[in-house]
């Protein structure tokens, strides 16, 4: 497949991600490590001319990263995190009408990626914050549809997050949905990364 961007543009985008992350960290009040798990899939839309049918199979994966928080006031806060994660999914397909013996195939979808999560958070109680933001993502190595490698590729998922502060760590529940179409062929019209994550932020205050 022809890449969506040339390599110079990739380097520029990734450099911009890291520069933004570094600049924001200078004014942060707290820093910390992030560990957690993800549960997700690639949301696919089948082409109208195809008779393939997919059975959804979500999978658990991991995430690790580093982040910081910058408080503007008692209620409003900016959270930035640099996350490394992977996502794997297996889709089982069959052809033919219900009741026939379908020809079954398993298709593997997987990616390794870096994401810069930028979230504006609002404190609704003393220990609970809700936030919305974006997570520019660099899929460093992506394989969609078995050996159909389409990496590297850039996506900018929308991000929703709820955070609960505890004595030892902050618990984060997040949902991300990719906005860029990652795959289009004669069978699939679109594929978007969709993932729920549960993570712990172990922070220390400066």
């Amino acid at each position: 497949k022809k890449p969506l961007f040339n390599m110079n543009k990739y380097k520029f985008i990734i450099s911009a991600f890291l520069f933004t992350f570094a600049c924001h960290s200078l004014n942060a009040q707290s820093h910390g490590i992030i560990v957690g798990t993800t549960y997700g899939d690639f949301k696919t839309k089948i082409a109208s001319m195809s008779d393939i049918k997919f059975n959804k199979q979500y999978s658990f994966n991991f995430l690790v990263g580093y982040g910081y928080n910058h408080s503007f006031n008692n209620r409003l806060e900016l959270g930035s995190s640099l996350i490394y994660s992977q996502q794997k999914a297996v889709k089982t397909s069959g052809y033919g009408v219900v009741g026939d013996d379908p020809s079954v195939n398993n298709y593997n979808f997987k990616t390794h990626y870096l994401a810069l999560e930028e979230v504006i958070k609002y404190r609704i109680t003393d220990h609970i914050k809700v936030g919305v933001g974006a997570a520019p993502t660099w899929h460093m190595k992506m394989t969609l549809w078995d050996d159909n490698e389409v990496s590297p590729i850039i996506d900018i998922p929308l991000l929703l997050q709820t955070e609960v502060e505890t004595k030892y760590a902050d618990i984060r529940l997040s949902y991300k949905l990719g906005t860029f179409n990652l795959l289009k062929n004669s069978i699939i019209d679109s594929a978007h990364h969709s993932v729920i994550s549960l993570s712990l932020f172990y922070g220390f205050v400066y």
Side-chain angles (χ1 to χ4, degrees), residues 169-182:
D170 296 347
I171 303 170
R172 295 176 175 176
L173 179 64
S174 305
Y175 174 69
K176 292 193 292 187
L177 177 61
T179 58
F180 289 9
N181 185 10
L182 304 180

Side-chain angles (χ1 to χ4, degrees), residues 8-140:
N8 287 333
K9 289 185 178 180
Y10 278 123
K11 291 178 180 178
F12 174 79
I13 292 172
I14 300 306
S15 298
F17 287 176
L18 298 178
F19 179 75
T20 301
F21 185 77
C23 287
H24 286 176
S25 69
L26 298 176
N27 296 317
Q29 281 86 33
S30 64
H31 295 244
I33 61 173
I34 302 167
V35 295
T37 185
T38 67
Y39 182 68
D41 191 18
F42 294 88
K43 297 176 70 70
T44 54
K45 180 181 178 182
I46 306 301
S48 59
M49 298 300 292
S50 174
D51 60 355
I52 195 171
K53 295 181 286 292
F54 275 138
N55 294 319
K56 294 181 179 180
Q57 295 188 28
Y58 295 90
S59 64
F60 286 97
N61 294 274
F62 73 93
L63 67 84
V64 294
Y66 192 85
Y68 50 81
N69 297 311
H70 174 74
S71 297
F72 298 104
N73 51 49
N74 293 333
R75 292 287 183 182
L76 202 60
E77 179 179 291
L78 171 66
S80 296
S81 304
L82 186 62
I83 300 293
Y84 171 76
S85 185
Q86 69 176 20
Q87 183 65 55
K88 296 180 180 180
V90 178
K91 292 182 181 292
T92 302
S93 68
Y95 293 88
V97 298
V98 176
D100 289 348
D101 292 329
S103 174
V104 176
N105 293 285
N106 289 328
Y107 296 97
N108 296 306
F109 292 69
K110 58 185 177 181
T111 177
H112 298 263
Y113 62 89
L114 280 174
L116 177 58
E117 299 182 353
E118 297 285 346
V119 187
I120 295 294
K121 306 175 189 178
Y122 183 79
R123 185 179 297 276
I124 57 176
T125 72
D126 288 343
H127 300 288
I128 299 177
K129 294 175 282 188
V130 295
V132 62
T137 299
W138 178 33
H139 292 278
M140 299 177 290

Side-chain angles (χ1 to χ4, degrees), residues 134 154-159 176-182 191-193:
I154 298 295
D155 192 10
I156 305 181
L158 300 177
L159 173 61
K176 292 193 292 187
L177 177 61
T179 58
F180 289 9
N181 185 10
L182 304 180
H192 293 86
H193 192 199

